[in-house]
């Protein structure tokens, strides 16, 4: 290895890659379970796509956080035939006093499709840790749902998040959502990692598939917030159809509280929820130096008060570290731009989708490398986040079966199976993560990991349990 010190840096980098490929950089565990190659869509007459009874009844109901602090909720729904009412009637479970909030509605056209009336209503100044009932619709078409607000932000507030990505609307998608709903750990909020309906995979970007997907996930998304991340299947850029406005269906249907975190775009924003500070980034918007997203993240990271919200979580669609041959190294440019910030500010975990498989990294960074020094191999770095890919919701493309061999040193566990994740915050120092495969029982974890907070417990030894 002493010879490397006298070689050209580019040659050094090449030799490093050769050494890795020859087995000198041994990784972790590769699960031996492989799903079938493709996943069939559920029939359009399936119960999960059923239209609610009543004329112009609200459908595709979903909620998300409505402000940065967790006292607000955005309630969204669609009326198919006419605008109807944009009013939300809501009250706390222990109160007889009913409040009204007025929303808005929007519509859009995409090629030969015209949307229904898409309603968005923001309710603010709610009480923390309180169950609220809400009603939408008119007369016999009125529908009632409920949600629970998070506890006030604090360093030792426990909270449980679910992780789902790349869901689609197949039979496997239905299993994933059913398993998440049945998980005994009871996630309270879904961190959604992008790629929702996959409507752009259907002929002419069939936007009616946005409607079926909205009805499919309503059974959960109407009762607990889904924190949205945009993926490549949300871009919907189709100049051949004279559709040249990216993200048009997504941004009309899925409102997020981006303005409360001083973002200029709904594609990147932040929220606080319990003891977590969650930053959502856009893999498919400009992110290099001097772009709006770059400037926003540069200013946002120093604002995070780890004494109030110790857990710093980043969501993005395209993973920065992956050893799957599908979409291989597509996140590399974003890694080069942002990884040093993630290390500097001690991000605890970065969750991604995009690759239709599961993978968890070790705590590594590659920030030492530049084109001159030849230090091109990721190294262990206890200030770095763990990178977890959960793009395995069950979409019709099937699981990503191709793994780079041998398993690289940064990869701790990987498997081409469908499933969901649970991130269970215990206190300011510890959180527990489990990945649940669809083929297993609800409580079984194929991979699990104890997180030691990078700010409050940066040198804690971690424990990994894989089955």
């Amino acid at each position: 290895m002493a010879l490397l010190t006298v070689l050209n840096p580019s040659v050094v980098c090449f030799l490093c890659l050769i050494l890795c490929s020859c087995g000198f950089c041994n990784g972790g565990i590769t699960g031996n379970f492989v799903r079938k190659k493709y996943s069939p869509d559920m029939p359009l007459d399936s119960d999960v796509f059923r239209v609610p009874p009543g004329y112009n009844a609200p459908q595709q109901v979903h909620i998300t956080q409505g402000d940065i602090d967790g006292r607000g909720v955005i309630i969204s729904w669609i009326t198919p035939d006419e605008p109807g009412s944009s009013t939300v009637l809501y009250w706390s479970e222990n109160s007889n006093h009913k409040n009204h909030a007025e929303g808005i509605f929007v519509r859009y056209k995409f090629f030969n499709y015209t949307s229904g009336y898409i309603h968005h209503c923001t309710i603010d100044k709610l009480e923390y840790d309180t169950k609220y009932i809400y009603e939408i619709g008119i007369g016999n078409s009125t529908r009632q749902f409920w949600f629970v607000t998070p506890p006030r932000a604090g360093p030792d507030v426990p909270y449980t998040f679910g992780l789902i990505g790349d869901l689609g609307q197949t039979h496997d998608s239905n299993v994933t959502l059913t398993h998440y709903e049945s998980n005994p750990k009871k996630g309270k909020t879904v961190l959604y990692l992008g790629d929702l309906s996959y409507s752009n995979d259907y002929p002419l970007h069939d936007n009616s598939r946005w409607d079926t997907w909205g009805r499919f996930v309503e059974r959960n998304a109407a009762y607990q917030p889904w924190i949205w991340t945009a993926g490549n299947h949300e871009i919907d850029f189709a100049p051949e159809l004279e559709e040249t406005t990216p993200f048009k269906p997504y941004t009309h249907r899925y409102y997020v509280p981006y303005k409360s975190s001083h973002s200029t775009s709904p594609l990147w924003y932040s929220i606080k929820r319990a003891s977590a500070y969650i930053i959502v980034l856009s893999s498919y918007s400009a992110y290099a130096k001097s772009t709006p997203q770059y400037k926003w993240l540069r200013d946002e990271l120093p604002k995070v008060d780890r004494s109030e919200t110790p857990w710093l979580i980043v969501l993005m669609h395209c993973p920065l570290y992956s050893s799957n041959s599908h979409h291989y190294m597509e996140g590399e440019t974003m890694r080069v731009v942002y990884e040093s910030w993630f290390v500097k500010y001690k991000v605890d975990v970065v969750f991604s989708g995009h690759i239709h498989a599961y993978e968890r990294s070790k705590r590594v960074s590659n920030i030492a490398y530049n084109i001159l020094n030849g230090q091109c191999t990721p190294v262990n770095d206890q200030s770095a986040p763990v990178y977890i890919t959960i793009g395995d919701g069950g979409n019709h493309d099937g699981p990503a079966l191709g793994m780079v061999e041998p398993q690289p040193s940064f990869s701790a566990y990987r498997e081409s199976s469908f499933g969901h994740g649970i991130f269970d915050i215990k206190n300011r120092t510890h959180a527990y993560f489990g990945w649940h495969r669809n083929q297993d029982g609800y409580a079984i974890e194929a991979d699990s990991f104890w997180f030691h907070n990078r700010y409050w417990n940066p040198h804690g030894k971690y424990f990994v349990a894989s089955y």
Side-chain angles (χ1 to χ4, degrees), residues 139-388:
N140 293 334
S141 298
T142 299
R143 302 185 69 196
Q144 186 178 104
F145 305 89
W146 56 265
F147 61 85
V148 178
T149 54
R152 184 187 299 273
D156 291 307
V157 178
Y159 202 77
T160 306
F161 294 98
L163 282 305
I164 299 175
D166 300 69
L167 189 58
Q169 39 197 309
T170 70
H171 292 284
D172 288 301
S173 313
N174 194 32
V175 174
T176 296
L177 190 54
T178 300
H179 273 229
Y180 170 66
E181 293 169 321
S182 304
N183 194 309
K185 291 189 180 295
K186 298 300 178 187
K188 299 173 183 177
T189 293
V190 170
L191 304 180
Y192 193 85
L193 303 171
D195 283 1
L196 285 67
S197 70
Y198 286 80
S199 71
N200 69 314
D201 278 355
Y202 298 90
L204 305 177
H205 288 234
D206 183 1
N207 268 231
S208 67
R209 279 297 187 169
W210 278 104
D211 297 316
T212 54
W213 194 83
R215 292 195 293 271
F216 163 49
V217 300
E218 179 191 88
R219 72 192 203 213
N220 187 271
Y223 296 94
Q224 62 176 249
W226 286 37
I227 308 304
W228 302 107
T229 309
N232 56 299
H233 284 273
E234 280 70 73
I235 299 174
D236 275 308
F237 180 77
E240 72 279 9
L241 304 178
E242 298 185 352
E243 291 292 345
T244 57
T245 302
F247 301 102
K248 184 200 286 185
Y250 172 76
T251 53
H252 277 78
R253 292 171 180 267
Y254 293 93
Y255 274 25
V256 297
Y258 69 97
K259 292 181 180 178
S260 67
S261 59
H262 306 290
S263 169
T264 56
S265 169
L267 302 176
W268 57 87
Y269 62 98
S270 66
I271 61 168
K272 293 187 288 187
R273 197 162 186 89
S275 51
Y277 201 102
I278 299 163
I279 292 177
V280 178
L281 297 179
S282 176
S283 299
Y284 303 98
S285 302
Y287 49 74
K289 190 172 183 179
S290 300
T291 62
Q293 185 170 198
Y294 179 98
K295 291 178 179 178
W296 176 81
L297 184 59
R298 177 198 62 196
D299 296 339
E300 183 69 12
L301 284 166
K303 295 178 183 177
V304 182
D305 182 358
R306 304 295 283 271
S307 65
E308 180 192 38
T309 49
W311 292 95
L312 182 51
I313 300 169
V314 173
L315 312 181
M316 62 178 65
H317 185 62
C318 186
L320 304 190
Y321 281 89
S322 170
S323 66
N324 199 295
S325 60
H326 290 250
H327 305 297
Y328 186 59
M329 291 188 74
E330 286 183 14
E332 181 64 6
T333 54
M334 196 177 219
R335 183 197 66 77
V336 171
V337 176
Y338 290 151
E339 185 183 20
S340 62
W341 289 356
F342 294 166
V343 173
K344 176 181 178 181
Y345 291 100
K346 293 182 169 57
V347 171
D348 291 291
V349 58
V350 177
F351 290 111
S352 304
H354 196 41
I355 295 167
H356 302 161
Y358 170 77
E359 185 164 17
R360 173 175 55 82
S361 80
K362 301 172 184 177
R363 290 199 184 277
V364 295
S365 73
N366 201 12
I367 59 176
Y369 171 66
N370 60 52
I371 60 174
L372 298 178
N373 64 20
Q375 298 175 17
C376 58
T377 303
V379 298
N380 292 330
D381 188 339
Q382 290 307 301
S383 293
V386 171
Y387 295 88
I388 296 180

